[in-house]
Amino acid sequence: MFKTGFADDFAVQMRRTLVHLGAWGFFITLGAFMSNKVFIIPGLLTGWSGSVIYFLLMCRRVKQSAELPPEKAIASMRAGWLIRFSFTISMLVLSIYVPGIDFWAAVVGLFSLHIVLMINAVITVISGLLANVGKSNLKSGRE
């Protein structure tokens, strides 16, 4: 059974990450358009959509694994990793063989999830540090 606290927090974090992925996709597309690099937009959007689908597959697997006993959850996560890896490879192969899709733009788009997660982590750490400035219980060496 899915624990209520975990399910609520999981849904909030999932929605937040999807909104950030949407914003990232908008800004990279807008940036490519504004810099007159329109030819890379199909590749960026192909990789970006692959990144969004990868994230949704990962969220689905985490939700399923949270409901399973530990032994089955490990097997489920391993199978999910293989499926997601195969999906990523298929997106890259698609970007090679479909004319009009720039391979390197698709690679950058595939890293959209990682970029968004890194930015979220940096913001979380910095906001935690700023909230705790001056609250340290450590005394300085001077007394």
Side-chain angles (χ1 to χ4, degrees), residues 15-16 18 34-35 37 46 52 59 70 82 90 94 100 110-111 136 142:
R15 275 190 228 108
R16 180 177 139 196
L18 282 173
M34 298 291 283
S35 65
K37 306 273 188 208
T46 300
V52 169
C59 288
L82 187 60
S90 67
L94 173 79
L110 275 173
F111 280 103
S136 176
R142 300 179 207 164

Side-chain angles (χ1 to χ4, degrees), residues 93-105:
V93 168
L94 173 79
S95 68
I96 290 172
Y97 288 109
V98 174
I101 295 179
D102 184 54
F103 174 75
W104 291 111

